[in-house]
Amino acid sequence: MTGTADTVAARKAWMGLLAKAPAANLATAWGAAGLAPDHVVLRGPEIGSVMVRGRAGAVGAPFNLGEMTVTRCSVKLSCGTVGHGYVQGRDGGKARIAALVDALMQTGAAERVETAVLAPLREDAHRRKDTRAAKAAATKVEFFTMVRGED
Amino acid sequence: MYVAVKGGERAIDNAHAWLAEERRGDRAVPELTVAQIREQMSLAVNRVMAEGSLYDPDLAALAIKQARGDLIEAIFLIRAYRTTLPRFGGSAPLDTGAMACDRRVSATFKDAPGGQVLGPTFDYTHRLLDFKLAADGEVSAPAEAEARQEATPHIMSFLDREGLIQPEPEGADTPPDLTRSPLELPAERALRLQALTRGDEGFILGMAYSTQRGYARSHAFVAELRIGTVPVEMEIPELGFSVEIGEITVTECETVNQFRGSRTEPPQFTRGYGLVFGMTERKAISMALVDRALRWKELGEDDVGAPAQDEEFVLYHSDNIQATGFLEHIKLPHYVDFQSELELIRKLRREAAAASSASGEAAE
C-alpha cells in the first residue's frame, strides 16, 4: 500500500516538474539525453484551458479566478507503457516530451531519464526560485525604534 | 421599410492595411518583438491576462502588439481566443499560504512572522522621470540576502486565533461560472469575486475609492498584500490523482474592516478579499474594498444606497469588453434607424408649426 502511495507521490513530483519547466529547458535536456523511444501518440498534443480557482478570504468558498493555457499529450511506448503530459502553455513539443518522460520513468530507463532530464530541470527550478527568494529577502524591512530626546 | 445596404469592402480592406502600417510605425525604428513586450511591459501583460481572464504571458504580449498598446482591445482579443479553447477541467483552489512571495506587506502588523518584504515596488520612488532610461541605461544587479525557505503564514490567521475575525464559510467545490451561464442576481460571493477579478481596473478602482470617500465607508486596513508564485494543481481523470500543471503569479489582498456588529453579527473584524492574476496590486486592493462593500447583506448591514453596495450596478458595469461592445456599436451604421428619427422630427415640427399658425389665426 505504501509502495503504491510512494509511486503516486513520485509520479506527481516528476509530472509537476515537467509541467512547470520552461519549454526550451525541457527541449534542451531531452535533446542532450539522446533518447528516442519507439512510441505511438494516443492523443494530442492538444491545447486547452484549465479554470484556475481561488478561495474567498484565502480559506473560504472556492471561486473561479480565470483560466490558464495547458497542453496535454498521451503516448504509448512499444512495451505498452502509457505516459501523460499536462503542461502549462501552448507548446505541443513540450507536452509530447513530458508524456514520453512520464512513460519512460515507469520503465527500466527511469534512472537514466532521472539523471539526464529531471535532475537538471529540478536544479534549474531550485536555482530560479532561490534567486527570487534571495532578492525578496534583501528587500525585507528592518525596523528600528527612534529614541526620543525627552525623558 | 427596410433597405439593405451593401458596399465598403474595398474601403475596409484599405483601412486595415493602413492600420497594419500605422501599427508598425516608423520603419527606421526596430520592430518590437513579443518577447520584448512580455519581459519589459510586464505590468501591461499582467493586466491583459487578468481582465482577459486567461493566464498566458506570450499570448497577452502578442495581443498588446496587435492592439497597438490599446489594452482593452488586447483584452478583447484574449477573451475571443479563450472561447476557442476546449476546457480540460477546473483546478484545485490555489493555496496562497504556500506562495513563494516576491512581496508581502501588512499595514496592520509591523512584526508579522515572515516580515515586511517590499519586493520590486514603485512605492517610495520619487516619481521623477528617469532620463537614464532614455539613454539605454544598463541596470545593476539587485542585492541578495539569505532566502527564506519556509512558507510565509497569512497574517489573518493570527487574528483568527483570537476569534476577532469573521470566519469564512465553506462553499460548493464547483463554484458558479459566469463564462458558462449568464450572470444572474442576486449573485453569491463566488460569482461576485469572479466578476471583480476580471473587471476593468479603472472601474473597480473608482468604486473602491468611492467607499473610502464615504459612500458605504467600511474602514479598510490592508492586513496583508502578497505577490508571488503559486503552483496550480488539477485532478487528472485518466490518472485518478492530481498533479501540478503549472505555476502562476498572483496578487492577493486581504483587508480587515472595522465592524461594530449588526442585528445578526457580533462586533468583530470583517474581511474583504482580492485575488488577481499577475502583479496587479492596485486592482487587488480595489477588489478587496469592493468585495467588502458588496457583502452588506450577508453581514446584516444597512443598505445606505451607495453605488458600491449595489451589486447590479457594480457587476453589470465592471466588464470593459461588454461595456466597450455596447458603447462602440453606436458609431457603426445606423442609417435606417436615423432616417426614421429624422422623419419623426420633421413630422413633429410640421405639426407644431401648423398648430402655432392655427392658434395665431385664432388669436387675430
Side-chain angles (χ1 to χ4, degrees):
Chain A
M1 190 65 206
T2 48
T4 315
D6 285 351
T7 314
V8 168
R11 195 165 178 201
K12 278 167 76 113
W14 76 60
M15 288 186 76
L17 179 64
L18 292 162
K20 294 183 289 185
N25 295 15
L26 178 56
T28 306
W30 176 254
L35 296 155
D38 275 343
H39 68 280
V40 288
V41 175
L42 299 176
R43 177 178 63 189
E46 181 187 14
I47 300 172
S49 78
V50 165
M51 177 55 91
V52 181
R53 297 190 175 123
R55 287 188 183 280
V59 291
F63 70 97
N64 290 313
L65 180 64
E67 286 160 279
M68 63 185 278
T69 51
V70 173
T71 303
R72 66 181 176 189
C73 184
S74 300
V75 298
K76 187 158 95 173
L77 302 181
S78 50
C79 63
T81 309
V82 173
H84 301 290
Y86 270 81
V87 302
Q88 184 167 14
R90 290 165 295 111
D91 191 317
K94 180 184 171 187
R96 196 180 55 83
I97 296 171
L100 285 168
V101 171
D102 179 49
L104 288 172
M105 282 300 291
Q106 303 169 63
T107 68
E111 208 167 316
R112 190 170 154 209
V113 176
E114 161 62 36
T115 312
V117 182
L118 297 177
L121 292 180
R122 200 176 294 117
E123 276 165 36
D124 183 59
H126 282 155
R127 194 166 43 244
R128 274 183 289 131
K129 193 171 178 181
D130 281 351
T131 305
R132 283 198 87 84
K135 288 175 189 168
T139 68
K140 184 172 166 181
V141 180
E142 304 295 343
F143 288 104
F144 53 91
T145 307
M146 305 287 280
V147 180
R148 301 194 339 167
E150 69 256 35
D151 301 5
Chain B
M1 183 180 61
Y2 179 75
V3 183
V5 181
K6 284 185 72 174
E9 289 91 341
R10 190 183 49 82
I12 290 168
D13 287 346
N14 292 345
H16 291 169
W18 193 16
L19 168 68
E21 188 194 60
E22 290 283 300
R23 175 192 297 124
R24 175 61 183 85
D26 183 352
R27 280 166 203 262
V29 176
E31 186 182 352
L32 267 177
T33 65
V34 168
Q36 284 171 341
I37 296 170
R38 186 192 64 221
E39 296 301 315
Q40 298 176 40
M41 293 282 128
S42 55
L43 299 188
V45 167
N46 285 178
R47 183 172 175 188
V48 170
M49 293 197 299
E51 295 172 34
S53 203
L54 185 67
Y55 195 100
D56 188 316
D58 291 295
L59 280 182
L62 173 63
I64 291 167
K65 179 173 178 172
Q66 185 178 336
R68 306 174 63 189
D70 179 337
L71 297 189
I72 291 183
E73 183 71 21
I75 291 160
F76 199 163
L77 294 169
I78 292 298
R79 290 272 187 98
Y81 176 82
R82 189 204 68 79
T83 63
T84 68
L85 295 174
R87 190 181 289 178
F88 296 156
S91 82
L94 298 178
D95 178 8
T96 53
M99 182 186 289
C101 295
D102 285 352
R103 170 165 167 81
R104 190 271 202 144
V105 292
S106 170
T108 54
F109 295 101
K110 180 166 71 73
D111 298 314
Q116 308 265 352
V117 176
L118 299 180
T121 180
F122 290 126
D123 291 354
Y124 316 110
T125 63
H126 294 120
R127 267 72 183 212
L128 298 172
L129 276 176
D130 180 1
F131 290 97
K132 286 203 299 290
L133 289 175
D136 293 336
E138 279 297 309
V139 292
S140 55
E144 294 185 12
E146 196 184 339
R148 182 183 167 84
Q149 299 298 334
E150 59 275 44
T152 307
H154 273 119
I155 284 166
M156 212 65 110
S157 62
F158 304 115
L159 273 179
D160 209 9
R161 264 175 233 159
E162 274 191 80
L164 296 178
I165 185 93
Q166 152 261 320
E168 289 290 6
E170 295 280 307
D173 283 344
T174 306
D177 183 356
L178 59 79
T179 69
R180 290 299 170 94
S181 46
L183 180 61
E184 281 182 18
L185 301 175
E188 62 182 279
R189 192 173 176 211
L191 210 48
R192 299 198 301 255
L193 290 170
Q194 184 184 12
L196 293 176
T197 193
R198 72 210 298 267
D200 182 77
E201 179 173 315
F203 180 85
I204 308 292
L205 169 65
M207 282 288 127
Y209 181 42
S210 76
T211 70
Q212 290 187 293
R213 290 194 62 255
Y215 295 87
R217 188 194 296 280
S218 60
H219 304 275
F221 295 98
V222 172
E224 184 166 358
L225 177 71
R226 55 168 66 193
I227 304 176
T229 53
V230 281
V232 182
E233 195 165 321
M234 185 177 74
E235 173 100 14
I236 307 294
E238 53 268 39
L239 294 176
F241 54 85
S242 66
V243 298
E244 289 178 2
I245 52 168
E247 187 172 57
I248 62 174
T249 299
V250 292
T251 303
E252 180 183 57
C253 176
E254 292 184 273
T255 59
V256 280
N257 301 67
Q258 193 188 83
F259 185 64
R260 293 171 193 282
S262 69
R263 287 180 296 279
T264 56
E265 300 292 321
Q268 59 187 331
F269 289 114
T270 55
R271 306 166 183 251
Y273 189 66
L275 183 67
V276 186
F277 280 159
M279 190 175 249
T280 41
E281 169 168 325
R282 183 186 305 114
K283 171 76 175 284
I285 300 171
S286 301
M287 176 175 168
L289 264 57
V290 178
D291 169 49
R292 176 61 187 79
L294 289 172
R295 300 185 67 201
W296 65 273
K297 222 180 281 179
E298 65 211 49
L299 295 169
E301 290 177 321
D302 291 329
D303 178 8
V304 298
Q309 286 181 308
D310 184 338
E311 67 175 10
E312 180 173 343
F313 184 82
V314 174
L315 302 182
Y316 279 5
H317 301 106
S318 60
D319 191 287
N320 52 26
I321 301 311
Q322 280 175 6
T324 295
F326 199 62
L327 183 105
E328 296 201 16
H329 99 278
I330 64 171
K331 74 192 172 185
L332 300 174
H334 282 67
Y335 308 133
V336 179
D337 294 12
F338 187 70
Q339 278 303 317
S340 72
E341 297 277 314
L342 200 58
E343 281 306 311
L344 180 64
I345 292 286
R346 284 177 181 146
K347 180 166 170 265
L348 291 174
R349 286 184 68 121
R350 277 196 302 273
E351 285 170 4
S356 78
S357 72
S359 66
E361 282 163 20
E364 277 171 18

